[in-house]
Amino acid sequence: MAKSISLTRYLVEQQRGHTGPADSPGAIPPQLRLLLEVVARACKSISLAVNKGALGGVLGTAESENVQGEIQKKLDIIANEVLIEANEWGGHLAAMASEEMEGIYVVPNRYPQGEYLLLFDPLDGSSNIDVNVSIGTIFSVLHKPEGSGAGVSEQDFLQAGARQVAAGYCVFGPQTTLVLTVGAGVVMFTLDREQGSFVLTQENVKIPEDTKEFAINMSNMRHWGTPVKRYIDECLQGVEGPRGKDFNMRWIASMVADVHRILTRGGIFMYPWDKREPEKPGKLRLMYEANPMSWLVEQAGGASTNGKHRILDIQPSKLHERVSVILGSKNEVERVTRYHSE
Ligand code: AHG
Ligand code: MN
Ligand code: MN
């Protein structure tokens, strides 16, 4: 009988291998294992809500805006609440931050305080909810900075992505798949609905270094900067152009789904700075979207930059900071990054 490895078993085995300090890469201290189990459980309940769709009354818009001025969908709020309720009482967290909340959510006094900080985009791809296209939940885990004392503040969250101790996403598509890194490569788990557990279905995920597939919202072309225009223009010229090969295009408008495709078969994803709102560095959020996805991509042998710098090295200056994102197959990301300096 083929052995089936559950997420629980994977995490227990990772924990057993842990000997170093609490924040050493690839190691899972008990609190972090618990945290990841709880996040996975929350993803299961979000998945259930997503699957019910109209039958569960979860589609459509809520009558509220988030801190970024975006109209919230009912599922943005539901997923945010599920993640908070699941994570606040276990004793593994000091605080949480979410794309859907203005400030940080400190674990209430009635529960024990842990050492970790959890950040999430509770529902990524909101515009796809009502049209039954893949959406997801993205999460990132930081350790509370050493010497930050009792209590927790927004400042404690402002750490570069390179300091993440775990990151992942759960994509709700034809299958529900949880993708995770704790700094020891990327692993994928598929939700077995009969058993109610995530089962390991792919280890050692690797992104091919080259690709013939790009993902970008082409409707913004006239607003892009010169380097991105040049890159896409060269791709579009196909075999007759400087690249000497034809490119294919995909744009799902859920970063989770686009990144999932890239982790599965390669490709390049871009949401670059553009001239629509030139004062904003980009659309995507550094701490809830770009950092966790960049770490996953790097752990799978890909690359991720904002056109100039490695995203994981960016020192955030605020919780809801935005960033330009270019990630995926290494040689293509390096090419676009080079175009930014020429
Ligand atoms: P969110 O639903 O969390 O606001 O994120 C949506 C993001 C990202 O998932 C996707 O790649 C991008 O926005 C799509 O943007 P456009 O609609 O501008 O293409
Ligand atoms: Mn998002
Ligand atoms: Mn979102």
Side-chain angles (χ1 to χ4, degrees), residues 66 70 76 99-100 120-126 136 285 289:
N66 67 12
E70 298 160 341
D76 289 322
E99 183 185 285
E100 301 300 338
F120 44 84
D121 174 356
L123 209 293
D124 176 66
S126 301
R285 280 118 315 196
E289 295 169 319

Side-chain angles (χ1 to χ4, degrees), residues 1 25 30 36 50 61 75 79 141 154 156 198 231 243 325 337 341:
M1 199 176 76
L36 293 170
V50 167
T61 303
L75 263 177
V141 185
E154 190 169 315
D156 295 332
F198 281 104
Y231 174 78
R243 301 301 308 277
V325 176
T337 307
S341 63

Side-chain angles (χ1 to χ4, degrees), residues 70-275:
E70 298 160 341
I71 303 284
Q72 291 176 303
K73 298 281 185 173
K74 286 182 191 163
L75 263 177
D76 289 322
I77 296 171
I78 294 168
N80 195 64
E81 280 169 4
V82 167
L83 281 156
I84 287 178
E85 278 169 24
N87 279 288
E88 66 179 353
W89 51 270
H92 49 284
L93 282 183
M96 296 176 244
S98 160
E99 183 185 285
E100 301 300 338
M101 301 187 295
E102 186 164 0
I104 63 167
Y105 180 90
V106 179
V107 166
N109 282 336
R110 60 184 181 278
Y111 303 121
Q113 291 256 334
E115 301 167 358
Y116 290 99
L117 307 173
L118 174 64
L119 299 98
F120 44 84
D121 174 356
L123 209 293
D124 176 66
S126 301
S127 73
N128 282 323
I129 297 170
D130 295 350
V131 292
N132 201 359
V133 172
S134 295
I135 51 180
T137 295
I138 311 174
F139 60 92
S140 159
V141 185
L142 294 165
H143 199 269
K144 218 180 121 193
E146 297 300 333
S148 60
V152 56
S153 69
E154 190 169 315
Q155 190 61 36
D156 295 332
F157 283 80
L158 304 182
Q159 305 181 40
R163 300 192 57 84
Q164 291 171 105
V165 294
Y169 63 80
C170 188
V171 58
F172 314 115
Q175 304 107 45
T176 289
T177 308
L178 184 82
V179 179
L180 176 70
T181 187
V182 289
V186 177
V187 279
M188 295 187 178
F189 301 84
T190 306
L191 180 60
D192 180 331
R193 289 193 188 279
E194 277 112 66
Q195 299 208 30
S197 63
F198 281 104
V199 178
L200 183 65
T201 42
Q202 174 95 47
E203 266 182 298
N204 197 19
V205 174
K206 287 283 169 241
I207 302 176
E209 289 190 350
D210 293 297
T211 183
K212 293 160 80 171
E213 196 161 66
F214 64 82
I216 191 165
N217 186 336
M218 292 287 287
S219 69
N220 297 324
M221 188 180 235
R222 69 188 189 284
H223 307 296
W224 297 336
T226 317
V228 173
K229 254 190 195 142
R230 172 183 169 193
Y231 174 78
I232 295 296
D233 183 55
E234 290 178 358
C235 292
L236 294 178
Q237 289 178 57
V239 277
E240 291 89 28
R243 301 301 308 277
K245 57 183 183 181
D246 290 333
F247 278 77
N248 185 32
M249 191 203 91
R250 286 287 184 273
W251 183 251
I252 301 174
S254 293
M255 190 190 197
V256 270
D258 280 311
V259 169
H260 193 67
R261 183 188 60 256
I262 288 170
L263 285 171
T264 306
R265 68 176 189 209
I268 179 168
F269 169 95
M270 286 181 276
Y271 212 120
W273 167 90
D274 70 43
K275 291 178 197 140

